[in-house]
Every structure is written in C-alpha cells, then in structure tokens.
Amino acid sequence: MPRPLGELEDAVMTRVWQWNRPVTVREVLEDLQQERSIAYTTVMTVMDNLHQKGWVRREAEGRAYRYTAVSTRAAYSAALMNAAWSTSDNPAAALVAFFGMMSAEQREALRDAVRIVQPAVPEEPPESADSPVAAPDSERDSGEPSTEPRR
C-alpha cells in the first residue's frame, strides 16, 4: 500500500510532476522559496528521500543530480484511492459514499473514465435459419464409427 506523501514531499513532487522534465535541487528550491523560507539542504534531503522511496530517479550531472518522476500524479492518486478502497469492509458502500462526495465535474470525469476503460460488448451475430449449427458435443466424434451415410 503506498504511503501518502508528506507535505514537503508533496510540494516537491508537485513541481517535478508539473514541470515534467529532469529537475535539479536548485530549481525546486528557488520555486519553493517563492512560498516559504527553506534551506537548500532541506530540499536536497527531501529529494534524496523521494529517490530512496522510489518516487524519482536521478542522473548525475557534474556534481549535482537531475531528478525525474517515476510515475504520474494520476497514478499516485489512483494508488492511494485503491489502497483506501481495498481496506473497506464494504467496498460498495465506500464507493457510494465516495461518489456522494464528488462535485458535478468529478462525476463527469468519472463517467468519461468508465467509458474509456469499460470494454465494448461485442454484438452476437444474428442466427439465421440458413446458418450451420454445430452438433452437440455428445454427437461429435465419439470414437465410434458413424452410422450416418456419407454424402
């Protein structure tokens, strides 16, 4: 079960997901500093922790690293929802309660998502009087010589 990100981890990952490119600690730091006072070493530690937890991969570039998200924010959110739902003793009731909390826009997004993942039901070809019908298994090759005349 995925553990939810902490507040600072989420702030860092939000930037990594939004920018959708390899980022440095310095870039994340400068953006975070627009909202709060934070030290370079704090951001570096958080990004290292995210790497250790498997949320980001990193590649060395000189003396620094460039970090890239391993998965999307949508995948993270889906994993959290699935984990929460799977702990319910009544999954149907949990879904009903969850759907009841949704806004109209969220319900519309849900309908769109269901249309995407719901497999299309193949249509059965109509049977006509002229179509050959297979014999039941009991009448098929029984290993005994056939008593029907050959045509």
Side-chain angles (χ1 to χ4, degrees), residues 60-90:
E61 185 176 281
R63 292 177 48 198
Y65 288 108
R66 285 210 173 263
Y67 294 84
T68 308
V70 169
S71 66
T72 64
R73 178 156 209 121
Y76 165 69
S77 297
L80 290 177
M81 289 187 289
N82 187 54
W85 184 49
S86 68
T87 62
S88 174
D89 61 347
N90 187 340

Side-chain angles (χ1 to χ4, degrees), residues 43-77:
V43 177
M44 183 176 65
T45 299
V46 168
M47 293 185 81
D48 184 61
N49 289 344
L50 289 167
H51 175 257
Q52 297 301 321
K53 293 176 180 181
W55 289 106
V56 294
R57 71 178 58 91
R58 66 185 181 193
E59 290 185 30
E61 185 176 281
R63 292 177 48 198
Y65 288 108
R66 285 210 173 263
Y67 294 84
T68 308
V70 169
S71 66
T72 64
R73 178 156 209 121
Y76 165 69
S77 297

Side-chain angles (χ1 to χ4, degrees), residues 111-127:
R111 280 191 280 283
D112 292 342
V114 168
R115 277 188 224 109
I116 291 168
V117 299
Q118 191 173 37
V121 178
E123 287 190 31
E124 296 278 330
E127 289 189 31

Side-chain angles (χ1 to χ4, degrees), residues 2-151:
R3 208 184 95 238
L5 295 170
E7 188 261 332
L8 190 50
E9 289 173 327
D10 187 70
V12 169
M13 283 306 300
T14 295
R15 283 148 179 86
V16 175
W17 282 320
Q18 285 176 343
W19 296 340
N20 197 26
R21 62 174 172 76
V23 301
T24 63
V25 171
R26 175 84 42 211
E27 291 173 307
V28 174
L29 170 72
E30 289 172 359
D31 200 61
L32 284 171
Q33 285 178 331
Q34 294 177 26
E35 299 171 2
R36 65 178 90 188
S37 176
I38 191 166
Y40 179 91
T41 54
T42 301
V43 177
M44 183 176 65
T45 299
V46 168
M47 293 185 81
D48 184 61
N49 289 344
L50 289 167
H51 175 257
Q52 297 301 321
K53 293 176 180 181
W55 289 106
V56 294
R57 71 178 58 91
R58 66 185 181 193
E59 290 185 30
E61 185 176 281
R63 292 177 48 198
Y65 288 108
R66 285 210 173 263
Y67 294 84
T68 308
V70 169
S71 66
T72 64
R73 178 156 209 121
Y76 165 69
S77 297
L80 290 177
M81 289 187 289
N82 187 54
W85 184 49
S86 68
T87 62
S88 174
D89 61 347
N90 187 340
L95 284 175
V96 169
F98 180 63
F99 296 157
M101 295 175 194
M102 292 177 144
S103 67
E105 294 81 21
Q106 290 170 322
R107 284 191 301 275
E108 185 59 33
L110 175 64
R111 280 191 280 283
D112 292 342
V114 168
R115 277 188 224 109
I116 291 168
V117 299
Q118 191 173 37
V121 178
E123 287 190 31
E124 296 278 330
E127 289 189 31
S128 68
D130 297 336
S131 66
V133 178
D137 287 340
S138 61
E139 293 180 23
R140 289 194 200 136
D141 186 20
S142 63
E144 299 289 322
S146 175
T147 57
E148 288 189 26
R150 289 199 157 179
R151 294 184 189 175

